[in-house]
Amino acid sequence: MADYDLVVRGGQVASGFGTMRCDIGIRGGRIVALAESIADGTATLDAGGLLVLPGGVDSHCHIEEPARGGYVGTGGDLAVTVNEESFRTASTSAFAGGTTSVVCFVPQWKGEGILPRLADYEQRAAKGMLDYSFHQIISDPTDEVLEREVPQIVARGIRSLKVFLTYEPLHLSDEQFLKVLVTARRHGCLVTVHCENYAAIKWRTEMLIKAGMTAPKYHAWSRPIVVEREATHRAIALAELVDQPIQVFHVSCAEAAEEIARAQHRGLKVWGETCPQYLTLTAADMDRPGFEGAAYMCSPSPRTVEEQGRVWEMIRRGTLDVVSSDHCGFSMGGEAGKAANGRDAPFRDIPNGIPGLAARLPILFSEGVSKGRITLDHFVRLTATNPARLMGLAPRKGVIAIGADADLALWDPKKKAVIKNPLMQHAIDYTPYEGLEVTGWPVATIRRGEVVMRDGVVQAEPGSGQFLPRGAYDFIAPRGVLANGFDAAPAPS
């Protein structure tokens, strides 16, 4: 009987902290051996001439996410019921792009608790093939939710709470945000934050529409850099007051990143994330004829080519240490996606969000590693090691090490491809990266020792994904530094 279920032979293994040529022995879905030469297993996969990377960990994905009352828009009354991307199609797309684990979002609807939505979402996620964990959105932080329900979801393995400082149905006031921060600190959760100023965007939007400036390109005008910078500063200040670690999602500009850098310099536990759209797309993409610009609408808005360069610098400095997809897809065709309110709807009423699960790793590798902006090790940390550690999934995920899950992406660093929508294998009818040529492409994806994609063909059993519960972990523990030494958020007795 063979010692290993699968041996990956002859690849250049990238750990995020150096590379080495070695074989990988896999048994029971885990990595059990790393050596210069390993005897054949029950199955052998030749990785000669390829990089072997940890399977991607995408810690910011909207998948099959129910919504009501317009949360997916920018202030209108949208009636989208479920995000178009199902867990099955999302799994296929993720595997096609080298990603093996995701963290996605359980919604909360105002006037309701969080437990009913969690039960529904657990059933949806169980039909996919990806390994997954959850962020819990808090849009209505009542005493019942924070004091009775949050402890229950923490006990079930959810360790991150998501809050929005913008969007009509979701935004929290400063007082509500403080309550969430306090609850997170008491129960050992990370808080992830969408940082844009709700009141400023609402005012700008009203003025633009009043002036007849309603086309998709004015989405960027409604939310300039200053509203992201201000909200980032405010979120950090309130988190510092409570002594609660936070991650700032989808940073689009250097000014917001500089707020994070200043906080980090003071020793605060504040992390920053960005996404491929802020490295490749610009506001000019929304300035296209008719409804075409809607394909590029996301929040925060893409900025300029010059701003892309500044975001790259923040990545190189380590201020932004995670690159996720913020996959949130709406098809351009049909009546349930971008055109939910009609193709003549003002930008305010067009669902904003773009698909990116499969594109994330190839774009970042090509624009980063292939073009010399970042090293291969840095790429691995940004896309797997860092998000796994921050989300409490390490050392099981995000690394190539003995005892870790055998999640691997076999990568051809020289393979050129032109991104086309069929390559993305998602449920959305377009990709905003259509026509982008990339250098570097995954040729096989392994999830827990099973080859789930080879040469673009995905083969995985629906329902084979596993929920990844997260217990308490020290990385996101509060610092214990309190204003005047007064603890306004003591742990419950």
Side-chain angles (χ1 to χ4, degrees), residues 375-392:
T375 66
L376 175 61
D377 282 337
H378 199 169
F379 169 83
V380 169
R381 294 195 297 271
L382 289 166
T383 59
T385 308
N386 290 350
R389 181 176 61 168
L390 183 58
M391 293 299 150

Side-chain angles (χ1 to χ4, degrees), residues 163 172-181 191 193 235 238:
V163 300
L172 301 186
S173 67
D174 287 354
E175 181 180 4
Q176 290 174 318
F177 182 39
L178 282 166
K179 288 181 178 180
V180 174
L181 291 167
V191 174
V193 193
L238 295 178

Side-chain angles (χ1 to χ4, degrees), residues 19-208:
T19 61
M20 59 182 175
R21 214 286 324 154
C22 72
D23 296 349
I24 303 174
I26 298 166
R27 185 170 60 240
R30 299 286 183 98
I31 297 170
V32 296
L34 296 167
E36 184 176 356
S37 180
I38 294 176
D40 287 344
T42 302
T44 301
L45 193 58
D46 182 11
L50 302 175
L51 300 173
V52 182
L53 314 177
V57 178
D58 196 338
S59 53
H60 189 165
C61 301
H62 299 272
I63 300 171
E64 202 169 336
E65 187 177 326
R68 73 174 190 187
Y71 130 60
V72 289
T74 56
D77 291 326
L78 300 180
V80 177
T81 55
V82 179
N83 189 283
E84 289 179 68
E85 198 76 76
S86 73
F87 275 91
R88 289 189 184 185
T89 60
S91 297
T92 299
S93 185
F95 291 157
T99 288
T100 51
S101 303
V102 296
V103 187
C104 44
F105 297 86
V106 182
Q108 184 199 9
W109 297 340
K110 287 192 184 291
E112 295 188 13
I114 57 179
L115 297 180
R117 299 277 66 78
L118 175 58
D120 169 70
Y121 205 59
E122 286 173 330
Q123 293 180 13
R124 296 176 185 276
K127 298 175 183 177
M129 298 90 84
L130 276 164
D131 287 354
Y132 59 94
S133 193
F134 298 142
H135 304 288
Q136 175 63 60
I137 293 171
I138 303 293
S139 63
D140 194 1
T142 63
D143 291 345
E144 172 74 6
V145 166
L146 298 182
E147 295 175 11
R148 190 184 72 84
E149 294 191 321
V150 167
Q152 293 183 60
I153 69 167
V154 170
R156 288 160 72 165
I158 298 174
R159 285 281 171 173
S160 46
L161 307 179
K162 166 70 180 294
V163 300
F164 293 81
L165 302 186
T166 191
Y167 290 138
E168 185 68 46
L170 286 175
H171 81 280
L172 301 186
S173 67
D174 287 354
E175 181 180 4
Q176 290 174 318
F177 182 39
L178 282 166
K179 288 181 178 180
V180 174
L181 291 167
V182 166
T183 299
R185 185 171 183 267
R186 285 176 172 169
H187 298 289
C189 297
L190 179 70
V191 174
T192 62
V193 193
H194 181 135
C195 291
E196 291 183 289
N197 184 300
Y198 165 75
I201 292 171
K202 184 173 185 291
W203 171 72
R204 290 271 296 185
T205 298
E206 289 171 354
M207 293 301 101
L208 286 164

Side-chain angles (χ1 to χ4, degrees), residues 403-423:
D405 281 359
D407 294 346
L408 306 171
L410 274 59
W411 200 273
D412 186 341
K414 298 180 180 179
K415 183 175 181 178
K416 294 185 181 295
V418 176
I419 292 181
K420 301 284 187 181
N421 198 50
L423 276 179

